[in-house]
Amino acid sequence: MEGRIVSTYTTLRTYIVREFLLSLLVAFLFFFFIFFINQILLFAQRILLKNVPVIAVLRLVILSIPQILLYTIPFSTLSAASMAIGDLSARNELLALRACGISLRRMFEPIAIIALLLSTGTFLVADVLLPYSHEQYKSLYSKLLQELPTIEIESYAVNRIGDIVLVTGEVEDGEIGSLLLFDTAHRSSNQVISASGGTVTLVDLNNFIYRLDLIDPVVLNTEGASLERFSLAQADAVTYYLDFSNEVSRFTDVTPSQLSSRDLLAAIEIRRADYERDRENRERTLEELKGELTQLMVAREEASGDRPERETRRIIELEAEIDRLESRKIINFYLQYYRAELHKKIALSASCFILVLITFPLSYMKLKHGRLFGFALSLIVASGYWFLLFFAQTQILDYAIHPGFLIWGPNMLIALISILFILRTRRV
C-alpha cells in the first residue's frame, strides 16, 4: 500500500513538473523575445548600419544575452507557475486532488524546488556570467573601433566628441563626406571648419585617439561675440585629433551592476571608509562650532551691558550652521550605489522563488480559461514588481538608510501579499 502511495506522488510530481516546464518554455521565449528584440534594435541603430561584419554583430548580441536573462528568468518563472496552476485549476484537477485527500502541498513542492533552482541559476548569471560577458564585450567593441574608426560617428547627424561638434554627411568605413566642424574648446574664441570630406585613422587604441584629416578646408576663427574680429583662411588640408574616450566609455565602462559580488564587496569597503571619514569630519566640525558657541554664550552671560552687534550676529550664524549640519543627511553616493547593486543582484535572483508564491492562491480558486488568466496575472505582477524595483533604486539617495531595505521592499511586499492571499483562500 505504501508503495502505491509513493508511486502516486511520483506520478503527480512528474505531471506537475511537466506542466510547469512546458509553461516555462513558452513564457521564457515570450519574455526573451521582447528583451532580445529591444537589444537588436539598439544594435541596428548603432552598429548594423555601419557595415560591421555580421559575425561580430552576432557575437555582440550573444554577449548581451546575460543582461537579458536577469529579467527574463524571474518573469518567466512567475508566468510559468501562474499558467500551470491556473490551467490545473480551470480543469478541476486540483479540486480532484483535494477530494482524494491529497494535500496541495504535494503540488507546490516541485514548483517551489524548481523556482529555487532557477533563483540559484539567476544569481550565477548575475555574479559570474554577466561580468565575464561584459569583459568580452568590451574587448570585442574595442577591436571593432580599431577596424572601423567611424563606428561612433553617425551619418547625416550632429556628433559631439568632447569639445568638438561634427555635422557630417555620409559616413562609410573611415571616410566622411562633406562636414562642418565646430571647435568649442576655448570660450574666448571659436573655430568653424568646413570641408569637402575627411578621413579618420586610429592613432592610439589604448586612449581612443583618432586623427581627422580634412580635405580642402575653409577655416573661420572668431573672437568672443564680436562680429568684426574674425579671420578666414583656406588650406589644402587640416589635421584634427579626436578623443573618443568619453564616448567609448558609455559602452565599455564597467558599471556596478556588471561587477561580481566579490568586487562589489571590495568597492563597498572602500566607500565605507570614505563615508566614515565624512562622518568624522562632520562630528569634528560640530564640536568646534558648539565649542565656539558655548564660549560666546558664557562670555555674554558674564559680561555686563549690551554685547557688540558683531558677537550677537556670530551667535546667530553659529546656531544656524549647527542646525544645518545636524539636520544634513550624510549620504555617500557610491556607497549607496554599490550596496544597492549588491542587494539587487541577490533580490532579483530570489524573486524567482518569491514571485511564485503569489500564484499558489490560484489553486483555491475556480477559474475559467486558467492558463490565459494566469498569464495575464503574471504580466500585471511583473509590471508592478518592475515598477517597485525601479522606484526603490531612485530613492536610495533620498534616505540615509541602508539601500538593502529599499531594494528588498518589492520582494517583501510580494511575499506578504502572497501569504495573506493563501491564508484567506484556504479559509474560504
Side-chain angles (χ1 to χ4, degrees):
M1 183 67 179
E2 184 177 351
R4 292 179 58 187
I5 294 177
V6 172
S7 177
T8 300
Y9 287 154
T10 301
T11 303
L12 174 62
R13 292 192 185 96
T14 302
Y15 178 65
I16 295 298
V17 169
R18 186 172 67 247
E19 289 291 316
F20 178 78
L21 292 180
L22 178 62
S23 299
L24 180 64
L25 176 62
V26 174
F28 179 85
L29 292 176
F30 173 79
F31 285 107
F32 185 82
F33 179 77
I34 291 177
F35 290 116
F36 189 74
I37 287 297
N38 179 68
Q39 194 70 17
I40 289 294
L41 293 176
L42 178 64
F43 278 110
Q45 181 182 4
R46 296 203 59 86
I47 297 179
L48 287 177
L49 299 179
K50 298 288 185 154
N51 297 322
V52 177
V54 177
I55 298 298
V57 175
L58 289 177
R59 288 183 61 191
L60 289 174
V61 171
I62 292 173
L63 291 173
S64 67
I65 287 178
Q67 185 70 49
I68 298 174
L69 293 179
L70 283 182
Y71 299 97
T72 300
I73 297 176
F75 294 162
S76 300
T77 307
L78 167 65
S79 296
S82 59
M83 290 167 63
I85 295 176
D87 190 46
L88 294 174
S89 179
R91 297 204 302 254
N92 294 322
E93 293 180 87
L94 300 181
L95 180 62
L97 290 176
R98 295 170 64 184
C100 294
I102 300 177
S103 172
L104 291 181
R105 180 177 62 85
R106 300 285 182 177
M107 180 198 68
F108 296 156
E109 284 178 351
I111 294 179
I113 291 172
I114 296 175
L116 284 173
L117 293 175
L118 290 172
S119 292
T120 304
T122 304
F123 180 77
L124 292 176
V125 169
D127 201 47
V128 179
L129 194 55
L130 181 59
Y132 172 78
S133 65
H134 184 75
E135 284 299 320
Q136 297 299 314
Y137 182 97
K138 178 179 179 180
S139 175
L140 178 57
Y141 199 85
S142 300
K143 184 178 179 181
L144 288 176
L145 283 170
Q146 182 180 11
E147 297 175 352
L148 188 61
T150 56
I151 192 172
E152 286 295 319
I153 302 178
E154 300 289 337
S155 297
Y156 304 104
V158 178
N159 303 268
R160 187 172 188 90
I161 307 164
D163 295 322
I164 294 176
V165 178
L166 277 179
V167 182
T168 60
E170 183 179 3
V171 179
E172 185 174 357
D173 295 332
E175 303 292 333
I176 303 178
S178 58
L179 61 88
L180 201 60
L181 185 150
F182 298 86
D183 190 344
T184 60
H186 306 287
R187 294 184 178 181
S188 59
S189 63
N190 294 300
Q191 189 174 70
V192 181
I193 302 177
S194 173
S196 60
T199 304
V200 180
T201 54
L202 178 65
V203 176
D204 184 352
L205 177 61
N206 294 326
N207 297 309
F208 297 102
I209 304 298
Y210 293 81
R211 187 179 73 241
L212 174 62
D213 296 311
L214 301 177
I215 303 172
D216 297 328
V218 177
V219 183
L220 172 66
N221 287 294
T222 62
E223 295 185 14
S226 175
L227 298 178
E228 299 178 355
R229 304 180 64 180
F230 68 90
S231 62
L232 186 66
Q234 188 173 5
D236 294 330
V238 167
T239 298
Y240 249 87
Y241 288 93
L242 306 177
D243 183 359
F244 278 96
S245 57
N246 291 331
E247 303 300 315
V248 174
S249 63
R250 292 184 298 147
F251 301 96
T252 59
D253 276 359
V254 178
T255 62
S257 63
Q258 294 160 338
L259 294 174
S260 66
S261 57
R262 182 170 57 182
D263 293 335
L264 283 172
L265 288 171
I268 288 172
E269 288 303 317
I270 297 174
R271 300 303 177 180
R272 183 182 287 115
D274 295 338
Y275 170 79
E276 291 298 330
R277 185 169 56 253
D278 292 340
R279 187 179 64 81
E280 291 174 0
N281 289 337
R282 190 188 73 161
E283 294 298 326
R284 189 183 308 110
T285 303
L286 276 173
E287 290 179 3
E288 293 174 355
L289 292 176
K290 288 180 179 179
E292 182 181 354
L293 178 62
T294 301
Q295 291 177 0
L296 289 175
M297 296 295 288
V298 170
R300 187 171 66 173
E301 291 292 334
E302 293 177 349
S304 59
D306 296 334
R307 303 298 296 171
E309 182 181 351
R310 184 179 60 183
E311 292 187 8
T312 302
R313 191 162 55 244
R314 179 57 180 166
I315 290 174
I316 296 175
E317 292 175 355
L318 287 173
E319 290 176 341
E321 182 66 15
I322 290 172
D323 290 339
R324 186 186 68 83
L325 288 176
E326 288 180 338
S327 61
R328 190 186 71 181
K329 299 176 293 184
I330 299 180
I331 299 177
N332 185 291
F333 171 81
Y334 290 103
L335 177 60
Q336 293 290 92
Y337 189 16
Y338 286 125
R339 280 175 168 176
E341 288 299 335
L342 177 62
H343 283 272
K344 179 184 173 183
K345 190 186 296 287
I346 303 172
L348 196 58
S349 302
S351 67
C352 289
F353 175 77
I354 294 175
L355 290 175
V356 163
L357 296 178
I358 205 168
T359 66
F360 290 164
L362 295 177
S363 59
Y364 296 95
M365 301 178 185
K366 185 173 179 59
L367 302 174
K368 188 177 182 181
H369 308 297
R371 192 176 292 274
L372 181 61
F373 178 86
F375 183 71
L377 174 66
S378 68
L379 290 181
I380 295 173
V381 174
S383 300
Y385 179 84
W386 172 256
F387 171 78
L388 290 174
L389 185 61
F390 177 79
F391 178 76
Q393 288 180 275
T394 62
Q395 301 300 307
I396 61 175
L397 297 179
D398 294 336
Y399 301 97
I401 60 174
H402 198 293
F405 293 108
L406 295 172
I407 298 299
W408 280 93
N411 284 13
M412 296 299 99
L413 180 62
I414 294 294
L416 179 61
I417 293 174
S418 302
I419 293 173
L420 292 177
F421 271 131
I422 291 174
L423 293 177
R424 181 173 180 179
T425 51
R426 288 189 65 181
R427 285 200 299 267
V428 174

